[in-house]
């Protein structure tokens, strides 16, 4: 899009269309996510702090705004608006819902609104799978354990398998026995199924896993004992608040973005508050991609991704462009109505 083309057409992209583009294209998404991490590390993005809308009468719920701008060949600006209402699960609907707005880089006009819960889950899973690959010390771990069994856990498993991971065993723990069994049933139904083991507690799962994936809705740490990690696993701290700071202080820590991750009472933020410094952070995933971080094998390794809005913007643009190439965009004619500086003649 360019300024010469005038006001861009405005399209609405459904969740079904998002799924159509992304399903089966996990490797392309992984490549895109790595490209965006490199753009971010090279300061070719703008990724301001996220903004949290909280509710005094609903303290567990929030809606988050993630504005961002991505440079590169497909420069795009935009905003993800994502809600997290944990009580939805008991009502039988997903915890999170989201929309993504994309803006033309030249004119500032919005040109697409996309259903974004799938985009958010996919970029989170791709980030986790990329980190698992780049942070594996030696051979890839073959015993994986999931704490938390919602949509994010399912997507992370999908992206790991799509990027060539094989497991001897998949461990599962969830506070809800029903959800744990449901996830085990889902895993068992896959053609690539590895044995799924439902564990009675977090400690049992952690001690049985070389790759631990935290994908819960925990608001405060519930895992406190560094001794549970004495076997030095790789930990994907996706939900950010499960681990007590003492565990991070005994580990090698990699984040996606230091300034973003050390806020909002995440586990790394709590570690900073406890120590008064950030010396426990070894570097960012970009630093790992550039070969600037040592990953010792004699300590647990924890990756804590706050989740960068630039990933959502880039993935949303990829989806939009794929659908446009297919001739499948649903354009809203006349969405922008007041376009004349001095009004329409005859009005």
């Amino acid at each position: 899009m360019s300024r010469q083309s005038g006001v861009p057409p405005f399209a609405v992209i459904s969740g079904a269309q998002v799924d159509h583009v992304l399903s089966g294209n996990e490797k392309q998404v992984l490549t895109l996510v790595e490209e965006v991490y490199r753009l971010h590390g090279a300061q070719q993005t703008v990724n301001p702090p996220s903004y949290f809308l909280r509710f005094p009468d609903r303290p567990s719920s929030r809606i988050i705004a993630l504005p961002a701008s991505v440079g590169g060949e497909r420069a795009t600006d935009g905003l993800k608006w994502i809600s997290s209402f944990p009580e939805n699960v008991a009502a039988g609907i997903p915890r999170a819902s989201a929309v993504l707005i994309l803006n033309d880089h030249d004119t500032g006009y919005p040109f697409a609104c996309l259903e974004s819960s799938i985009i958010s889950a996919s970029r989170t899973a791709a980030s986790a799978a990329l980190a698992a690959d780049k942070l594996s010390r030696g051979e890839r771990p073959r015993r994986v354990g999931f704490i938390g069994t919602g949509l994010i856990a399912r997507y992370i498993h999908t992206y790991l398998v799509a990027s060539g991971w094989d497991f001897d065993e998949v461990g599962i723990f969830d506070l809800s026995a029903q959800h744990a069994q449901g996830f085990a049933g889902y895993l068992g139904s896959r053609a690539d199924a590895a044995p799924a083991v439902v564990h009675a507690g977090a400690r049992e799962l952690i001690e049985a896993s070389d790759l631990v994936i935290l994908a819960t809705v925990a608001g405060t740490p519930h895992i406190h004992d560094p001794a549970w990690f004495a076997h030095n696993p790789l930990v994907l701290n996706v939900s950010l608040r499960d681990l007590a700071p003492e565990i991070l202080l005994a580990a090698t820590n990699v984040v996606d973005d230091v300034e973003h991750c050390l806020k909002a009472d995440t586990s790394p933020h709590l570690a900073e508050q406890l120590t008064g410094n950030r010396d426990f952070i070894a570097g960012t995933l970009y630093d790992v991609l550039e070969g600037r971080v040592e990953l010792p094998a004699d300590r647990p390794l924890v990756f804590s991704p706050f989740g960068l809005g630039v990933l959502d913007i880039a993935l949303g643009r990829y989806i939009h462009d794929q659908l446009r190439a297919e001739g499948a965009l649903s354009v809203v004619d006349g969405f922008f109505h007041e376009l004349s500086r001095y009004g329409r003649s005859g009005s």
Side-chain angles (χ1 to χ4, degrees):
M1 296 177 189
S2 67
R3 187 173 296 279
Q4 287 72 32
S5 66
V7 176
F10 185 80
V12 176
I13 297 173
S14 69
Q17 290 179 300
V18 171
D19 183 66
H20 161 72
V21 173
L22 296 184
S23 292
N25 289 321
E26 289 84 4
K27 290 184 178 179
Q28 291 91 322
V29 174
L30 282 160
T31 298
L32 176 61
V33 165
E34 181 172 351
E35 290 174 357
V36 176
Y37 273 125
R38 292 186 182 277
L39 287 172
H40 185 65
Q43 299 184 340
Q44 295 186 50
T45 66
V46 181
N47 203 107
S50 302
Y51 298 89
F52 289 73
L53 177 61
R54 300 186 185 276
F55 312 96
D57 61 327
R58 292 161 287 164
S60 66
S61 299
R62 63 188 186 272
I63 309 179
I64 311 169
L66 289 83
S69 176
V70 183
E73 294 182 1
R74 292 190 293 272
T76 311
D77 313 321
L79 172 77
K80 180 171 76 169
W81 182 238
I82 181 167
S83 67
S84 175
F85 281 54
E87 285 75 14
N88 284 354
V89 176
I93 59 176
R95 169 188 61 85
S97 58
V99 293
L100 178 70
I101 300 294
L102 301 180
N103 293 74
D104 176 36
H105 194 67
D106 293 323
T107 68
Y109 269 84
F111 64 88
C113 175
L114 301 86
E115 195 285 328
S116 197
S117 65
I118 298 172
I119 294 173
S120 188
S122 297
R123 66 85 149 145
T124 300
S127 171
L130 176 66
D133 182 50
K134 301 303 180 181
L135 296 174
S136 290
R137 298 158 293 186
E139 294 184 3
R140 286 176 166 179
R142 297 189 62 86
R143 299 184 304 163
V144 61
F146 288 87
I147 299 179
T149 57
L151 180 75
I152 297 301
R154 173 160 60 87
Y155 269 72
I156 291 174
H157 181 269
T158 296
Y159 271 79
L160 287 171
V161 172
S163 52
W165 285 70
D166 292 311
F167 302 115
D168 294 334
E169 180 179 292
V170 178
I172 300 166
F173 171 68
D174 196 289
L175 290 177
S176 166
Q178 178 183 359
H179 294 160
Q181 291 296 338
F183 191 51
Y186 160 75
L187 294 175
S189 69
R190 293 178 57 102
D192 51 34
V197 178
V198 177
H199 291 276
R203 176 176 184 173
E204 179 183 304
L205 178 139
I206 291 167
E207 293 182 339
S209 304
D210 301 313
L211 171 61
V212 178
I213 299 170
L214 302 171
T216 75
V217 294
T220 56
H222 58 95
I223 299 172
H224 296 272
D225 192 345
W228 297 6
F229 301 85
H231 58 301
N232 303 320
L234 171 58
V235 182
L236 303 182
N237 184 27
V238 176
S239 42
L240 286 175
R241 295 172 178 85
D242 301 81
L243 301 176
E246 291 80 7
I247 293 172
L248 271 63
L249 296 177
T252 301
N253 291 278
V254 175
V255 299
D256 56 354
D257 182 285
V258 176
E259 294 300 327
H260 283 77
C261 199
L262 273 67
K263 61 178 57 177
D265 291 332
T266 64
S267 295
H269 189 204
L270 295 179
E272 180 189 32
Q273 294 175 45
L274 182 64
T275 62
N277 61 64
R278 299 177 172 184
D279 296 345
F280 62 93
I281 300 292
T284 66
L285 185 56
Y286 174 69
D287 294 325
V288 174
L289 294 174
E290 292 293 299
R292 297 199 293 252
V293 176
E294 292 187 12
L295 304 174
D298 60 350
R299 292 163 63 88
L301 177 54
V302 179
F303 175 60
S304 299
F306 193 79
L308 300 177
V310 290
L311 298 176
D312 299 275
I313 301 301
L315 189 50
R317 181 61 186 264
Y318 167 76
I319 293 164
H320 172 275
D321 291 353
Q322 291 294 113
L323 292 171
R324 183 175 61 182
E326 295 176 11
L329 283 179
S330 299
V331 173
V332 181
D333 293 326
F335 184 83
F336 297 108
H337 178 65
E338 189 60 83
L339 297 175
S340 174
R341 184 178 181 88
Y342 301 108
R344 292 167 292 158
S345 60
S347 61

